[in-house]
Amino acid sequence: MLCLIISILIYGRAASSLSQLATPRRHRRANSAPASSAMAVRRLRTFLALIALAHTSCALIDEVIDVLKIGKEVAEDIINSWDVVGKRFNATDGVDLPFVRRGERQILSRIAVVSRSIEKLEMRLRRTNAVSMLLTKKAGNGARLELRLHEMTDLLNRVAAANRQMREYVNLQRELERSTLENFAEWCVSHDPGALPGLLERVHSLVDPPNKHLLGRNLFRLVLEDIQDQHPDLCDLQLSPHQLIYDMYNTISLTEIKGYAMMQFSWMLLRVYGRGNFTQEASLTRQRYGQRTNQTAAAARAALSQAKRDLYRCDPPQHIEGETYDQVTRLLQGYIENEVDMNADGTCRENCAFYTLAQNHGCFKDQFCSKQPACKGRIIDCQFVDSDMWVCPASAKSNRRYEWIEYENGRTLGRVGSCMRGTTKVDSWWRWLFWHCSYCMCLCDDADFRSHRYFSLHECTSDVKNNKVITGVRLVKHGKVFHLQISEGTLSERGSITPGTWVPIKKFDPFESGIKEGVDYHTLTYERRAIDLDELDSPAGHVLTGVRFSMIGSHLHFEIRSTPFNYATGRLAYDKSQWISNDNTDGTDTPRSRLELHYPDIPSRSHVSLPVDSKHDQYVEFTHSDFDADAAQSTVPFIDVQPVQTLKGGALLSGAGVVHRGADGNGGFIALKVFTYDFSRHIQAETPVNEYYDVDTDTTELMPPLN
């Protein structure tokens, strides 16, 4: 809070000093005539130095830059209050002189104006209270981190309670006795360990332990070690490890600022009440504040430089098709066909293994073929399981052909259970005693109206000309086509973002006029069903402004657009945007590795959260689910359609990627991830307090004179 107050006070005061220097001596007040121009210059230097200090303090919290835009009228009103409390007086015999009360109320009323701005900032930070959220996730573990988080939460709450008490006093200023404010001010600067200065020192000791050999690692380091390796809690928190530590740093810095503000205003009030001059005490308070913020920034920066910045979604409590996941359908689906129908001659001279690539040529004598839709595409990789079976057909509205299959030899494909449509007995037969007409278990690659196997190749970019960046990504299915979709927000100073909305996708039907394969969309087929798994990040000083799919050979390929920006102003250099990708192919010296899916069951059946099991520079092929587990009726991996964006909805991102979440025996999910921006290099560990504060400089500019 004080960084705001000092900034407002100092800007107005500096302007006043400049105007006084420019005003002829005869127009100045009579009681200021003895003051020399040198003194005025020195005072102006003091205020200019404090301006730099105030900006340094405000830089500790990214969002503060927005609150600094307070109107000129408010700043002038606050400055004018110093003229009231700055008049000479004699506070004797405990008498409340009228101008003392008036000065007291002026201070409190000016505090109220800035407090409202701070309260807005608190509300924004409260949405991602990293300490309390992490504590909730760690409850019951009994680890040292949990104890430290409990202690930190308690200390932050006590400082916040004192700050709320001050706000209440501001609202009730006309009804309060002088002793009430005086006692509160004394507590704010007391040497008692339970008073405000002691609370701030205890907060700091958790961030930067005074004796690291005895007290161990700081809080940032403990958090980093706990959450670094794919911690499941981060999916619920919707924060990257980097952002979690950064938000904790912001929360702690805000507490420091509130505490520092209360202490400085307490010195001011005690001086108004005639309790002393307190110039040196205020100076020491400022120096200690600078030391703490300097050390806190150094600890945070060290942790941030090592913290991972990736963010992705884990499995939801319940899988809901169309909301949390979607499917590619009828690509390489299990299909029962008799060999007599897979050759133009209608013969049974071969066996099932002969038909590695075939097609349907008819329906012999209305056998089982008449009771199921025929595969109109290619029939691939047939195998013989057993001659006779019972088949449970799926619902006519389902994308499956069969619910389960049970062979006479006891082998089952899929989960055998009740059958809503009744089972069908399917028996192979002999022809002329020489040839066995076997029913084969094959794969059907049929791009009919039930097959959803298309991926949009349209690029998704933020409106960079209006300074908008990507704040979230997700995969969505419209009709039969999977699309990338982005949310965008407006970038402003120091990485601050005003959250926006999801940008509408460019919907289309693959079969409508003017839509071209290879230009507008890609169709998955048996030969072209690979998707590259890459994790792409921008160079330093760049942010994420675009994503798209493209084709490299037979692989569906992911790319990002990166745009440089000015961190101080937030302006994008949109004309310097570039597309970034990992163009590694099978023909290189070190080709991509394939992520194998071993006996993949339906991923939504998993009872545990599936971790990211892919690595950068891999690929995975869409394939059928396991024969035994699911009768090969589903296409895996499934597509995770959960939105990937931070809890705030407006965090700065620098990269994105396509990953696979899965495990052995599970088909897993194709999912997106993002990378939050690296703020570590923007946290200034060297807070230049001493550089701007000269102990020989007059420090009474913010203090009314005392007789």
Side-chain angles (χ1 to χ4, degrees):
M1 179 168 59
L2 188 62
C3 71
L4 299 174
I5 297 170
I6 289 179
S7 297
I8 297 169
L9 293 175
I10 292 173
Y11 276 115
R13 198 67 167 176
S16 175
S17 298
L18 283 171
S19 64
Q20 288 182 13
L21 286 176
T23 303
R25 184 178 300 275
R26 64 178 179 272
H27 291 304
R28 299 178 188 173
R29 293 184 298 179
N31 60 357
S32 66
S36 65
S37 298
M39 176 62 73
V41 171
R42 191 169 69 167
R43 290 180 176 179
L44 180 57
R45 283 177 52 214
T46 300
F47 283 112
L48 292 175
L50 287 174
I51 287 174
L53 173 59
H55 275 294
T56 303
S57 299
C58 291
L60 295 175
I61 294 184
D62 216 38
E63 291 86 346
V64 171
I65 194 69
D66 295 330
V67 189
L68 284 175
K69 299 173 182 177
I70 299 176
K72 181 180 179 181
E73 297 80 6
V74 176
E76 291 177 350
D77 287 342
I78 296 176
I79 295 299
N80 291 336
S81 67
W82 289 106
D83 293 333
V84 177
V85 301
K87 293 180 179 180
R88 297 176 181 275
F89 66 94
N90 288 307
T92 59
D93 300 328
V95 178
D96 285 334
L97 301 178
F99 52 82
V100 176
R101 291 293 288 179
R102 186 166 59 251
E104 168 193 289
R105 289 169 181 167
Q106 287 284 352
I107 292 176
L108 294 177
S109 63
R110 299 312 176 235
I111 294 175
V113 174
V114 182
S115 291
R116 282 193 290 271
S117 298
I118 288 293
E119 193 169 7
K120 293 179 182 178
L121 172 60
E122 284 184 304
M123 291 177 63
R124 293 171 60 181
L125 288 179
R126 199 174 296 135
R127 288 183 297 174
T128 54
N129 190 333
V131 177
S132 62
M133 287 194 297
L134 189 60
L135 181 60
T136 300
K137 292 299 175 185
K138 295 302 297 178
N141 287 359
R144 178 166 52 178
L145 173 59
E146 183 185 348
L147 298 177
R148 298 283 181 89
L149 289 172
H150 272 296
E151 184 178 359
M152 176 64 78
T153 302
D154 176 62
L155 294 171
L156 296 182
N157 288 339
R158 292 170 69 177
V159 175
N163 188 253
R164 287 193 299 270
Q165 186 71 65
M166 186 185 71
R167 291 175 182 173
E168 291 179 8
Y169 288 162
V170 168
N171 295 331
L172 300 172
Q173 56 184 279
R174 295 187 179 276
E175 289 79 20
L176 294 177
E177 297 293 337
R178 165 178 164 175
S179 60
T180 302
L181 292 174
E182 194 168 354
N183 290 338
F184 180 77
E186 289 177 344
W187 179 84
C188 286
V189 295
S190 171
H191 294 293
D192 189 295
L196 180 60
L199 297 180
L200 296 176
E201 291 297 335
R202 289 176 61 189
V203 169
H204 183 63
S205 68
L206 292 173
V207 176
D208 187 47
N211 192 327
K212 297 180 177 60
H213 296 291
L214 294 177
L215 299 178
R217 297 178 294 279
N218 66 54
L219 184 61
F220 293 139
R221 176 62 60 181
L222 288 175
V223 171
L224 179 64
E225 293 175 356
D226 184 73
I227 66 176
Q228 189 69 299
D229 296 326
Q230 296 184 342
H231 200 288
D233 292 341
L234 291 180
C235 292
D236 297 330
L237 295 179
Q238 296 182 50
L239 295 170
S240 68
H242 184 96
Q243 191 182 13
L244 177 63
I245 293 176
Y246 183 65
D247 284 351
M248 290 182 65
Y249 169 67
N250 284 341
T251 302
I252 294 169
S253 296
L254 177 61
T255 299
E256 280 279 8
I257 291 174
K258 288 191 292 187
Y260 178 42
M262 287 188 284
M263 292 176 67
Q264 287 286 13
F265 274 110
S266 295
W267 292 125
M268 295 178 191
L269 284 173
L270 292 175
R271 178 166 181 171
V272 167
Y273 294 146
R275 298 285 299 277
N277 187 283
F278 301 117
T279 300
Q280 187 60 37
E281 287 82 351
S283 173
L284 293 174
T285 297
R286 181 162 54 244
Q287 291 182 48
R288 182 56 185 147
Y289 167 76
Q291 293 170 359
R292 287 198 303 264
T293 53
N294 176 33
Q295 294 163 359
T296 299
R301 184 169 182 171
L304 288 172
S305 65
Q306 300 180 41
K308 292 182 179 179
R309 295 183 289 109
D310 50 338
L311 172 67
Y312 54 90
R313 298 296 298 270
C314 292
D315 289 308
Q318 180 180 4
H319 291 286
I320 303 176
E321 186 170 4
E323 294 185 18
T324 64
Y325 76 93
D326 245 308
Q327 302 181 54
V328 173
T329 58
R330 295 210 167 188
L331 175 71
L332 306 184
Q333 187 176 45
Y335 173 67
I336 299 171
E337 186 73 287
N338 195 289
E339 59 178 306
V340 72
D341 296 323
M342 289 191 285
N343 63 83
D345 298 328
T347 65
C348 302
R349 296 191 180 101
E350 308 295 343
N351 57 29
C352 289
F354 174 81
Y355 297 95
T356 57
L357 182 61
Q359 64 183 38
N360 178 269
H361 288 274
C363 182
F364 181 78
K365 292 186 178 180
D366 293 333
Q367 298 283 334
F368 177 67
C369 53
S370 65
K371 300 177 182 179
Q372 68 168 355
C375 176
K376 298 300 183 182
R378 296 179 298 176
I379 301 174
I380 302 170
D381 290 343
C382 296
Q383 58 180 306
F384 178 76
V385 179
D386 194 16
S387 298
D388 306 324
M389 69 200 82
W390 288 266
V391 176
C392 177
S395 166
K397 297 181 180 179
S398 174
N399 288 317
R400 303 172 64 91
R401 291 177 178 272
Y402 323 113
E403 293 297 338
W404 50 265
I405 302 167
E406 184 175 13
Y407 290 94
E408 279 196 349
N409 64 7
R411 183 178 178 182
T412 59
L413 306 184
R415 295 184 173 182
V416 177
S418 60
C419 188
M420 298 296 294
R421 300 180 64 186
T423 58
T424 300
K425 188 67 167 66
V426 180
D427 296 327
S428 302
W429 70 90
W430 289 91
R431 175 184 282 184
W432 303 313
L433 301 178
F434 298 105
W435 295 300
H436 187 258
C437 295
S438 304
Y439 276 102
C440 307
M441 189 65 188
C442 310
L443 296 174
C444 174
D445 180 11
D446 186 2
D448 65 359
F449 70 97
R450 291 174 179 254
S451 182
H452 301 171
R453 55 170 69 192
Y454 308 98
F455 283 79
S456 172
L457 300 180
H458 292 167
E459 63 184 37
C460 302
T461 58
S462 61
D463 186 1
V464 290
K465 291 186 177 180
N466 287 317
N467 222 57
K468 294 186 177 182
V469 296
I470 292 179
T471 57
V473 295
R474 65 183 177 189
L475 284 161
V476 296
K477 184 167 73 170
H478 177 73
K480 303 175 183 179
V481 184
F482 289 91
H483 300 257
L484 288 167
Q485 187 178 23
I486 62 170
S487 61
E488 62 179 8
T490 304
L491 178 62
S492 55
E493 302 96 329
R494 299 183 56 76
S496 178
I497 290 182
T498 302
T501 58
W502 289 94
V503 178
I505 60 175
K506 299 176 182 178
K507 302 176 181 178
F508 63 86
D509 188 311
F511 304 106
E512 67 183 76
S513 176
I515 300 300
K516 298 181 179 179
E517 183 173 4
V519 176
D520 299 291
Y521 68 92
H522 167 61
T523 304
L524 297 179
T525 64
Y526 178 75
E527 297 83 6
R528 297 164 61 87
R529 53 193 170 98
I531 180 170
D532 289 338
L533 305 173
D534 286 320
E535 301 178 19
L536 307 173
D537 202 5
S538 298
H542 291 62
V543 291
L544 182 66
T545 58
V547 294
R548 70 183 180 190
F549 283 124
S550 64
M551 292 301 299
I552 292 187
S554 61
H555 289 215
L556 187 63
H557 189 66
F558 182 71
E559 301 179 1
I560 66 169
R561 189 178 72 168
S562 176
T563 303
F565 78 115
N566 185 300
Y567 182 77
T569 65
R571 296 304 303 174
L572 291 169
Y574 62 86
D575 56 334
K576 297 181 179 179
S577 298
Q578 58 180 319
W579 285 97
I580 297 175
S581 65
N582 174 32
D583 296 339
N584 194 10
T585 64
D586 295 336
T588 62
D589 294 335
T590 55
R592 291 176 180 271
S593 62
R594 177 179 176 180
L595 178 66
E596 299 285 351
L597 301 181
H598 300 286
Y599 308 108
D601 196 358
I602 296 177
S604 57
R605 291 177 178 175
S606 176
H607 298 296
V608 296
S609 185
L610 298 173
V612 174
D613 60 349
S614 64
K615 298 179 180 179
H616 177 69
D617 203 30
Q618 286 189 311
Y619 73 93
V620 66
E621 289 185 330
F622 286 97
T623 187
H624 56 85
S625 54
D626 182 58
F627 279 99
D628 290 318
D630 188 48
Q633 291 302 291
S634 305
T635 301
V636 292
F638 283 2
I639 307 296
D640 190 334
V641 297
Q642 298 177 95
V644 184
Q645 61 181 167
T646 63
L647 186 63
K648 289 182 178 180
L652 193 61
L653 305 179
S654 62
V658 176
V659 298
H660 179 268
R661 292 191 298 104
D664 283 344
N666 192 290
F669 295 88
I670 293 294
L672 299 179
K673 73 157 42 176
V674 296
F675 293 92
T676 55
Y677 182 77
D678 184 2
F679 284 98
S680 61
R681 65 194 188 98
H682 298 296
I683 293 181
Q684 299 300 321
E686 297 297 330
T687 309
V689 176
N690 294 330
E691 177 184 347
Y692 295 113
Y693 176 68
D694 185 354
V695 294
D696 295 328
T697 301
D698 182 55
T699 60
T700 63
E701 301 296 337
L702 298 179
M703 303 292 181
L706 180 67
N707 281 346

